[in-house]
Each structure stands twice: as structure tokens, then as C-alpha cells.
């Protein structure tokens, strides 16, 4: 529970972060595993934001440096659909054949609750720290180049 006693605290919420190395639970690697499966389906209306882990770290540092306290959405203002990400992976990943069929989010059977729309209001962070975020399609493409070079 947030209280006024937390005057030196920042509570931040971020995009799904993508690193350009191995490790972690990277969205691109999770999606590649799904796209390897027969009859993979990706929702055209499952929307969220992604950011490079490096840019998110830099934006967290900016927030701390400005001595901001309170709640802050440190997320990319540019949304992308799960199907759009899948298409970038299918078109560029070289190690294995990937495919999927587009569908609506409501048509998927999901084992755990997940929201269809995951886009945060970034107005405050844009006004406060002027964050830098790359185009999500370029972030995915850069990760795929790394994976292709590593034969992952």
C-alpha cells in the first residue's frame, strides 16, 4: 500500500524488455519456441509494448537522477501486436522453420489469465524524463540478428 511516508520511493512499471544477449525470459525466444510448434496461432489484437533492456535501464537512471518519486510508467509509447512480432520472427529467423496463423485473442485457450491490451499511459514519463525508446520492430529485428549469429 502506498503512503505519504514513502516520499523517497519510485514505483515503476515497464514494457516487456528485450536484451540483446542470452538468458532471462526474453519475449522473442519464448515466441520462437511457440512458432516452432505445429498449428501455432498468434493474436492480431493482443497488443503490448516492448523496449530494449538497455533503454529501460537508461530511463530508470534518468528517473532516479531527476529525483522523481511516486508512480511512473517507464514504457515505450509505441504498441505492437503479438502477430506483428511473430511475422518479424518468421521473416528473419534463420535457424528453424517458423509459422503461425493469425487469430483473435478471444479464440485462444490460455492456461493463465493474460490481458489482451497491455499498453501503459506514458504521458508522465514523457513529460518528466523525455525517455528514449527505439521502434519495437527494430528491437525485434536486432534480437533476431543476435540469435541468428549465435545459431540459437
Amino acid at each position: 500500500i502506498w503512503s505519504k511516508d514513502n516520499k523517497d520511493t519510485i514505483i515503476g512499471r515497464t514494457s516487456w524488455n528485450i536484451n540483446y544477449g542470452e538468458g532471462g525470459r526474453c519475449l522473442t525466444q519464448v515466441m520462437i519456441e511457440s512458432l516452432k510448434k505445429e498449428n501455432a496461432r498468434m493474436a492480431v489484437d493482443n497488443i503490448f509494448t516492448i523496449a530494449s533492456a538497455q533503454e529501460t535501464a537508461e530511463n530508470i537512471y534518468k528517473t532516479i537522477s531527476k529525483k522523481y518519486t511516486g508512480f511512473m510508467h517507464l514504457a515505450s509509447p509505441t504498441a505492437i501486436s503479438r502477430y506483428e512480432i511473430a511475422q518479424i520472427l518468421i521473416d528473419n529467423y534463420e535457424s528453424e522453420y517458423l509459422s503461425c496463423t493469425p487469430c483473435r485473442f478471444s479464440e485462444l485457450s490460455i492456461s493463465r489469465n493474460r490481458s489482451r491490451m497491455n499498453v501503459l499511459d506514458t504521458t508522465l514519463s514523457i513529460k518528466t524524463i523525455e525517455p528514449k525508446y527505439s521502434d519495437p520492430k527494430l528491437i525485434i529485428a536486432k534480437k533476431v540478428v543476435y540469435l541468428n549469429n549465435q545459431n540459437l
Side-chain angles (χ1 to χ4, degrees):
I1 297 175
W2 181 261
S3 76
K4 293 181 181 180
D5 295 334
N6 297 333
K7 62 184 175 189
D8 295 329
T9 304
I10 301 169
I11 297 177
R13 213 168 147 203
T14 68
S15 301
W16 194 316
N17 290 285
I18 295 177
N19 67 10
Y20 298 124
E22 290 183 62
R25 186 168 156 74
C26 182
L27 172 68
T28 51
Q29 291 163 290
V30 171
M31 286 187 67
I32 285 169
E33 292 306 312
S34 295
L35 294 168
K36 290 178 184 178
K37 297 176 183 171
E38 192 173 329
N39 301 317
R41 298 166 66 206
M42 295 289 160
V44 296
D45 59 343
N46 184 200
I47 311 294
F48 48 91
T49 60
I50 62 171
S52 84
Q54 180 66 36
E55 289 171 349
T56 297
E58 290 167 5
N59 292 325
I60 290 170
Y61 180 77
K62 282 183 186 179
T63 305
I64 293 167
S65 295
K66 292 225 181 220
K67 301 190 183 316
Y68 177 84
T69 60
F71 297 93
M72 176 83 72
H73 289 160
L74 295 166
S76 171
T78 306
I80 190 168
S81 76
R82 189 169 295 273
Y83 181 73
E84 288 176 289
I85 294 171
Q87 284 306 122
I88 295 167
L89 296 172
I90 289 167
D91 293 344
N92 296 286
Y93 187 67
E94 298 172 353
S95 294
E96 294 183 54
Y97 176 75
L98 307 176
S99 68
C100 74
T101 303
C103 67
R104 306 297 266 163
F105 186 77
S106 60
E107 297 169 11
L108 296 173
S109 296
I110 300 171
S111 60
R112 58 183 181 186
N113 289 341
R114 187 173 4 143
S115 176
R116 182 180 70 83
M117 298 291 291
N118 302 283
V119 180
L120 301 172
D121 179 356
T122 58
T123 306
L124 179 61
S125 65
I126 290 169
K127 287 180 181 176
T128 306
I129 65 164
E130 299 176 356
K132 176 189 176 290
Y133 290 103
S134 298
D135 180 298
K137 293 176 183 176
L138 296 176
I139 293 169
I140 298 294
K142 186 173 178 180
K143 179 67 177 204
V144 172
V145 167
Y146 170 80
L147 295 173
N148 286 338
N149 288 337
Q150 300 299 313
N151 294 317
L152 298 174

